[in-house]
Structures are given as structure tokens and as C-alpha cells.
Amino acid sequence: MKTLIFSVINAFAVLGVSAQQQTAVDFTVANYQITINPLTKEVSGSGELIFDVLKPVDSIFIDAHYMEFESLELNSSEVKYNVHTNKLLIHHDFEPSNKNSLSFNFKAYPKQTIYFVGWDSDAPNQVWTQGQGKYTSHWLPSFDDVNEKLIFNVSVDFYSDYSLNSNGLLIEKTMINDSISRWTYQMKQPMSSYLVAIAAGRYSNIFDKSASGIPLEMYYAPYDSLKAEPTYRYTTEIFNFLEEEIGVAYPWEIHRQVPVHDFLYAGMENTTLTIFSDSYMVDDREFNDKNYVNVNAHELAHHWFGNLVTAQSSEHHWLHEGFSTYYALLAERHVFGDDYFYWRLYEYANQLKAQQQSGSATGLLNAQASSLTFYQKGAVVLYLLRKKIGDKAFKNAVANYLHKHSFAAAKTSDFIRESEAESGISLSNFVSKWLEENSFDYYDVLEALKDDSMLIRDYEMIDCELFQSKCKDYLTMPLDPKIKSKLIAQYPNLINQNHFNEGWEVRQAIAITLTEIPEKLKSNFESLLQDTSYVTVESALYKLWTNFPKDREKYLDKLEEVEGNNLKNVRLLWLALAIATPEYKIDNKNQFIEELINYTSKDFSFEIRQSAFSYLKMLNLWSPDALNNLYEASKHHNWRFQSYSKEIIEKLSAQSRYKEFFNSKN
């Protein structure tokens, strides 16, 4: 009981310190010298925090999860401190003063936020961080409160033959010994702790410079050299466009982009250092199916919306994600044209309509809102606001908002105030309907899009289900590929040989939509096996294999050497079909099975592993190696992949022959 009482008192003490620190202390600079050991998964080093005391206070804190501290000094003198599970508490009678110094040594073995990938497998050896929200304090003593902004200067000791990137300018790289170098990075402006980042790996790079003179560094793994240009295509153009469109100069001194293996999300906007998933490294053939352009623009836009001006609290999170989603669409509009822009907004509106119909819609200012709300609804709302108040007022409002709250935090009302001031229009009803209410008025959005876009007007008007008698005529007209794809999906029986001569979007729609392939279209459908889209090739292979059993060996022979996209989509399907075709290369069956099982190992990305597991599940091929890989996957740092693996384990454990195996692991 005594232990419990002390624990409760301790917890309240920490909460009290957290509350009073908001107004009593201002941390301004963080200087770190750290060493990263990927083999022991240890982060250690020294830190110095510079801060001003604004009013008397008896203690201050640093957020630090499960860290060891020693040699703490306040202004070069020893000071009392306590280490809690998630905080370092410093006890002292602080009086108002400037430029105080708190120095310390620390050591941590983080369980999250910094990831040591590939050091125990054949995957690329990398170390990277993901501090989104308030998680940097798991590997670096810092501040979970996004309102606490500091200038971070970080020096890192790591293997000399690697590239190591962090925030700000690289001031110098020096040799520590024969194998270790020290990279010293400095920032000029303050930022929230969640934006501190490190990305280390073996990389080559491309250098460019924006029209305003900002250095642009684009990294890639040497084995992805042929994917570098398609991946980073339009990067400089996007950068120049966003600077001009936003109307505020890029607020930082450099911009880097680094792809990493098994990243948790698509990308992360760490200040001056965007980290993104290497699954976006694509070649020319993959570009249409999946490219990096949107992620590239989105993370860059965050350098204004989130990094320069940070939302004060989670209820204003759309100021980050809605703005970055919207400006990424504007950048894509600049690259791909108006139809692309309006089509994406139309897709967003339909996703939000589905969310509304499911009963899960929330207001944009709800701190618990979904990603769909923060991102897509936020972008749609900005589109509607701009349409309401006009281009000039909108752009001026954005620029004023960014200037007034630079390197600080803001609320939604701050932006709305600027919009009202520039337009002279009261936005209280607009805010109530589009930001506060849970409902989403799909038809208002649709009318706005139809007003702006002929593509959306035609797409809504030309409909086989509404005008069945005209459908055949529609399919002969020179319509937008998206409209043709819609009609093909509605009436696939009207597909004829001429449709195979259309663009890749129409051919892909045929490959995905057509379930039963008429004999008269067989040769046309076979031509899809050579399509420029790997998604089309994958779908065509499966449909042909299903429809024409006698020709299965011919189709398999034709694609035996094709891997597909960077997630090996064609190869994985090919292996599954080759295994499932009884008479096909009987002597090689075991080899095919071993290859498919090998793709479930941690030598490969979690996306490839998940696809391989799905095929093993369909084929019910669970060897000891596959089961071991599945169990290992259930511990993976990517929570979606981890959950997927656990679901399979749960179902397999219901069978006696697998239950004993998984019980032995626990």
C-alpha cells in the first residue's frame, strides 16, 4: 500500500511540473553529441539544453523514456534530479534568468521511434527514426509538447562508410577512428522535438538547387540507381511551385529526401529531412501505377504547415494534414493538369461520403477524427474556402497566417481570422458547417466540382446504369479514360477489340473488371501480359490462367522471368500459380515453394512478406520455416503487418497441428 501511495504522489508531482513548465520555462537550444550502436541497439551521448526561466519555479523536466542519466550539471554545478520511466526531473529553486545551461550524459535502449533495420538479415542495413507526434523522447531527451520549440544541433558518431543525415546543415564530417566518423549538423531556426530525425544507410545522391537557391539533396540506395530519376521526377519543379503558390519563402536552409526500408508510413516531414518508404522508389514502368509525386509534395508542404507553424493541440491537426494534402494536390495539378486535380478531389469527396454513410464521420476539429477527416476532408474544405473567398484573399490569408505564427504554434481560429480579414466575409457559418459539424455535405461539394470541371460533369452525366441504351455509343466516343473505365466496369460485356487500343487506364480497367473472357477477345487479352502497367500484367495473368486452363503453361512460360513492380507483384502471383498448376514443371515444384516461403523472411520488405504470406495461406503451405517467419512477423515494428500476421497465427492456432508450434513460442 505504501508503494502505491508513493507512486500516486510521484505521478501527481510529475503532472504538476508538466503544467507549470508551460509558462515558467522556455527552452531555446539543444546541443547533442550522440553515438548510435546498431548492433546493441543503443543510443548514448551527452546533451546540453539552454533555457530561460520566466518566473520562479522549483523544478523542471525533460521527457525521456527509460533512459539512464549521469553527470547532470546546472550552469556547471551539480544539481538534484530524479529519473522516472518517462521523465527526467531536475529539482532547484529557479529564479527568472536567461541562457541557463543543463548538461548531462545519457544512455537508452529504445523500444520504439528509432529502428535498426537489416542488421540481423540480408535487408539493407539502416538506422532511421520516426518521431511523429511525441515520440522522439524514446531515443533523445527532448520535449513531447509540440509548443516547446528549440534550435537542435546534433552530432552523431556512426560507421564512416555509411551516409548519415539529420536536420539542418552538415557543418563537418570528421574521422573519430579507422571506422567511425562524426557528422555535425546545425539548425538555424527552432522546431518541435518530434521533427528531429536521423537516417543512416548506404546511399548515393542527386544534387539540385531550387530557383530561390535552396540546396536539394535526393538520396537512393545504389541498387536503385535506375529508379532515382523516375522517383524524384518533378522534385525541383514541385519545390519551386510550392514556394510561389504559398507565397512564403521556404523557411529552412536545405531540403533532403531519404528512402528507408520498412518505414511505418508513406513519408515523414522531419524538418529539412523527409524520410519516406523505399516502396516509392519506382522505375519508368511503375510510374503510372504508383509514384512518389504526391508523397514528395505532401511532405514538402509540411515544412510550412506543421514545421514552420505547428498546431497548438490535436484538435487543430488539420492545419498540418489538411493543408499539406491540399497543397500537394495543387502541386500535382501543376504537374499533371486540372483534370487530375479535380478528379482527386472527387475521389476524396466520395470517400468522405462513404464515411458519412457508415456513421463514422466526425467534425474536422475533433481531436479523435480519422486520418480521412484530417487529410482528405481538410483538403476539400480548403478547396471550398478558396472558392468562397477568392484566390487573392485566400493566398493573402495563408501568407499572413504563416508570417504571424512563424516558428510558433497556432489554432484554427488564427487562420480563419486572416481569411475573414482578407475577404471581408464572415465565415462563422462556413466554420460551423465544414469544420465543426460531424456531417459531410457531399452534394454541395459535388456541385462545386461540377461547376469547375467538365470532367466531373461528364463523369456524373455519362452513365451506363442510367442510360443503358446509350452505353454502346458512349464506349465508341473519345471520352476521358476515367469515364471509359467507369462504363467498362458497369457493362463489361460491351468490351470489344478496339478498347484494347486505348490508354493504360482503360486497359487496366479491362484487366481488373472482366471476369469471364470471351474467346473472341482472348488474343487481345493476352496482349495485356506485355502492358506497361505491372498491375495490369498481374491481373491479366490471373484472369487468363483462370479462364483458359489448357493454356496455363503457356502463360506461365511467358512471364517466368518477370518480377513486376518493386513489391514483386507479378513474381509472387506467378509462383502461386506455378505451384497450383499440377502438371507445370513438376521437378521444380519444391524450388517454387521454397522461393515463395523465402519471400516471407525478414530479408524482404514487409509488403513483399505480407503478399507471400497471403499466397501461402491460400495454398495452405505452412512449412516450419514459413511458420517461424510468420511468428517473427508478429513482432514486426510495423503495426499493420504485425496485426496481419497475428490474425493468421490466431486462425492457424485453432488447428491442432499448428497449435503446439505457436504454444512453444510463447
Side-chain angles (χ1 to χ4, degrees):
M1 178 63 74
K2 179 184 267 189
T3 302
L4 176 60
I5 291 172
F6 277 119
S7 297
V8 172
I9 292 173
N10 228 0
F12 277 112
V14 171
L15 288 173
V17 172
S18 300
Q20 67 183 3
Q21 182 157 302
Q22 306 290 331
T23 57
V25 184
D26 180 24
F27 288 88
T28 57
V29 179
N31 299 312
Y32 284 102
Q33 171 60 61
I34 66 175
T35 298
I36 296 175
N37 188 331
L39 302 181
T40 61
K41 299 183 178 180
E42 175 187 312
V43 179
S44 61
S46 61
E48 179 193 26
L49 298 174
I50 309 298
F51 63 96
D52 299 332
V53 180
L54 307 179
K55 63 183 182 180
V57 66
D58 60 7
S59 56
I60 62 175
F61 75 90
I62 317 297
D63 292 305
H65 289 256
Y66 303 101
M67 292 187 186
E68 301 172 16
F69 287 90
E70 61 181 19
S71 304
L72 258 81
E73 291 187 349
L74 175 64
N75 297 327
S76 302
S77 298
E78 290 187 9
V79 65
K80 294 180 181 179
Y81 67 94
N82 292 114
V83 179
H84 297 267
T85 55
N86 63 350
K87 279 183 171 54
L88 168 66
L89 277 172
I90 298 94
H91 304 283
H92 184 76
D93 291 328
F94 294 94
E95 294 294 331
S97 53
N98 295 326
K99 295 186 178 179
N100 296 280
S101 170
L102 177 70
S103 60
F104 49 80
N105 294 331
F106 75 97
K107 182 187 294 185
Y109 296 91
K111 301 298 182 184
Q112 64 177 80
T113 312
I114 186 167
Y115 299 93
F116 305 92
V117 176
W119 301 90
D120 59 351
S121 69
D122 289 336
N125 290 356
Q126 296 174 349
V127 178
W128 48 264
T129 59
Q130 169 56 13
Q132 175 73 49
K134 55 180 182 180
Y135 300 113
T136 295
S137 57
H138 284 265
W139 70 274
L140 189 73
S142 52
F143 301 94
D144 294 346
D145 182 3
V146 299
N147 295 285
E148 189 71 78
K149 295 198 171 195
L150 299 84
I151 295 174
F152 282 90
N153 302 311
V154 179
S155 293
V156 186
D157 292 355
F158 199 69
Y159 300 128
S160 299
D161 55 341
Y162 282 71
S163 295
L164 188 140
N165 286 289
S166 189
N167 311 89
L169 292 174
L170 177 61
I171 303 304
E172 63 176 354
K173 177 185 176 183
T174 57
M175 293 291 294
I176 302 301
N177 56 41
D178 290 343
S179 61
I180 303 295
S181 287
R182 176 171 296 167
W183 287 260
T184 300
Y185 285 90
Q186 289 185 3
M187 292 286 296
K188 292 183 179 179
Q189 299 288 356
M191 64 180 181
S192 302
S193 295
Y194 77 91
L195 296 166
V196 180
I198 287 173
R202 288 193 166 94
Y203 293 106
S204 300
N205 52 35
I206 300 170
F207 293 98
D208 204 351
K209 188 172 284 190
S210 72
S212 58
I214 299 295
L216 307 177
E217 298 180 1
M218 294 153 273
Y219 288 79
Y220 60 92
Y223 51 77
D224 278 336
S225 60
L226 296 179
K227 298 180 178 181
E229 188 284 323
T231 299
Y232 290 116
R233 190 175 294 166
Y234 306 118
T235 292
T236 306
E237 187 175 345
I238 289 169
F239 191 102
N240 293 337
F241 169 80
L242 286 179
E243 272 206 311
E244 182 176 350
E245 173 64 28
I246 294 170
V248 175
Y250 178 75
W252 315 97
E253 51 268 36
I254 194 169
H255 187 243
R256 300 183 185 87
Q257 298 177 79
V258 180
V260 300
H261 191 68
D262 274 1
F263 197 53
L264 280 72
Y265 306 103
M268 177 62 199
E269 68 277 9
N270 312 293
T271 309
T272 74
L273 174 59
T274 289
I275 295 176
F276 68 98
S277 169
D278 61 4
S279 67
Y280 283 94
M281 295 296 299
V282 297
D283 61 23
D284 271 316
R285 192 172 178 183
E286 293 175 80
F287 189 88
N288 285 335
D289 290 330
K290 176 183 179 179
N291 60 63
Y292 177 56
V293 174
N294 182 268
V295 176
N296 188 342
H298 182 99
E299 307 309 336
L300 177 57
H302 268 306
H303 281 72
W304 287 268
F305 305 104
N307 299 13
L308 175 61
V309 180
T310 307
Q312 282 187 10
S313 60
S314 54
E315 69 181 281
H316 305 291
H317 188 53
W318 83 286
L319 293 174
H320 295 197
E321 301 303 348
F323 275 75
S324 294
T325 302
Y326 174 68
Y327 277 94
L329 278 188
L330 290 178
E332 288 186 292
R333 179 186 194 172
H334 175 73
V335 171
F336 300 127
D338 286 353
D339 283 350
Y340 183 94
F341 173 75
Y342 291 114
W343 179 254
R344 291 288 288 172
L345 284 171
Y346 179 73
E347 289 181 320
Y348 291 173
N350 279 280
Q351 292 167 6
L352 291 160
K353 176 185 177 183
Q355 180 179 248
Q356 168 93 350
Q357 292 172 337
S358 72
S360 57
T362 62
L364 198 52
L365 299 183
N366 185 331
Q368 305 302 317
S370 67
S371 293
L372 179 62
T373 299
F374 285 134
Y375 289 66
Q376 282 78 8
K377 186 175 182 180
V380 170
V381 166
L382 288 172
Y383 159 71
L384 294 173
L385 178 63
R386 187 170 190 163
K387 191 173 175 67
K388 182 178 181 65
I389 69 175
D391 282 351
K392 183 178 179 181
F394 182 85
K395 292 185 72 170
N396 287 344
V398 169
N400 292 342
Y401 162 76
L402 291 172
H403 281 305
K404 289 182 180 180
H405 303 281
S406 291
F407 309 110
K411 307 183 296 297
T412 298
S413 58
D414 296 320
F415 172 66
I416 296 300
R417 187 180 304 112
E418 298 301 331
S419 299
E420 289 181 327
E422 284 295 326
S423 65
I425 298 172
S426 171
L427 295 174
S428 57
N429 290 337
F430 183 91
V431 170
S432 176
K433 177 175 180 176
W434 294 107
L435 278 72
E436 296 174 347
E437 291 182 9
N438 290 338
S439 59
F440 176 74
D441 193 334
Y442 171 77
Y443 293 101
D444 264 15
V445 178
L446 180 59
E447 287 306 309
L449 290 171
K450 287 165 65 176
D451 182 53
D452 287 340
S453 169
M454 183 177 292
L455 168 62
I456 304 303
R457 289 198 296 274
D458 289 347
Y459 190 86
E460 283 287 307
M461 180 182 69
I462 299 174
D463 194 320
C464 280
E465 292 179 348
L466 290 177
F467 307 104
Q468 295 182 22
S469 61
K470 296 183 179 181
C471 191
K472 192 170 184 178
D473 293 334
Y474 286 154
L475 282 168
T476 64
M477 295 178 181
L479 300 172
D480 187 278
K482 292 178 176 60
I483 300 174
K484 282 279 184 79
S485 298
K486 171 187 175 181
L487 301 177
I488 284 169
Q490 289 177 337
Y491 276 87
N493 59 306
L494 294 179
I495 295 172
N496 61 46
Q497 294 175 346
N498 293 328
H499 295 131
F500 289 85
N501 298 321
E502 303 266 5
W504 71 270
E505 287 177 288
V506 174
R507 294 196 302 274
Q508 189 172 101
I510 294 172
I512 292 172
T513 302
L514 204 58
T515 302
E516 296 184 8
I517 304 172
E519 187 68 35
K520 64 180 181 180
L521 295 180
K522 181 182 177 183
S523 62
N524 300 98
F525 210 93
E526 288 173 342
S527 70
L528 298 179
L529 295 177
Q530 304 300 316
D531 205 80
T532 56
S533 161
Y534 286 127
V535 171
T536 302
V537 173
E538 178 187 6
S539 185
L541 172 60
Y542 180 73
K543 298 293 181 62
L544 288 165
W545 185 89
T546 303
N547 277 265
F548 305 106
K550 292 182 179 179
D551 293 325
R552 286 176 175 175
E553 294 188 13
K554 178 180 75 173
Y555 301 136
L556 291 170
D557 283 345
K558 193 175 188 66
L559 295 183
E560 185 171 7
E561 302 301 321
V562 178
E563 283 208 351
N565 60 26
N566 59 12
L567 301 182
K568 301 183 184 294
N569 68 321
V570 176
R571 182 60 181 175
L572 289 169
L573 173 63
W574 187 93
L575 286 169
L577 297 181
I579 293 166
T581 306
E583 301 304 317
Y584 186 69
K585 298 192 175 182
I586 297 173
D587 293 341
N588 299 108
K589 290 290 185 189
N590 288 337
Q591 178 183 330
F592 297 154
I593 293 171
E594 285 181 18
E595 183 180 349
L596 183 58
I597 290 171
N598 185 49
Y599 285 130
T600 67
S601 75
K602 57 187 177 182
D603 294 341
F604 298 93
S605 71
F606 74 85
E607 298 100 330
I608 291 174
R609 298 175 69 186
Q610 185 163 318
S611 294
F613 279 131
S614 69
Y615 287 123
L616 289 179
K617 181 181 175 183
M618 285 188 283
L619 296 166
N620 197 26
L621 290 174
W622 295 108
S623 69
D625 283 344
L627 293 172
N628 276 314
N629 290 341
L630 181 62
Y631 178 78
E632 190 276 332
S634 71
K635 310 295 182 184
H636 198 273
H637 63 259
N638 185 289
W639 66 268
R640 294 179 184 85
F641 181 48
Q642 181 185 116
S643 297
Y644 174 84
S645 305
K646 286 180 176 178
E647 287 178 11
I648 298 179
I649 289 174
E650 184 177 351
K651 292 179 180 178
L652 289 178
S653 295
Q655 303 176 43
S656 57
R657 57 177 169 164
Y658 300 123
K659 184 176 182 179
E660 184 177 346
F661 173 86
F662 289 114
N663 284 343
S664 69
K665 293 288 187 179
N666 297 322

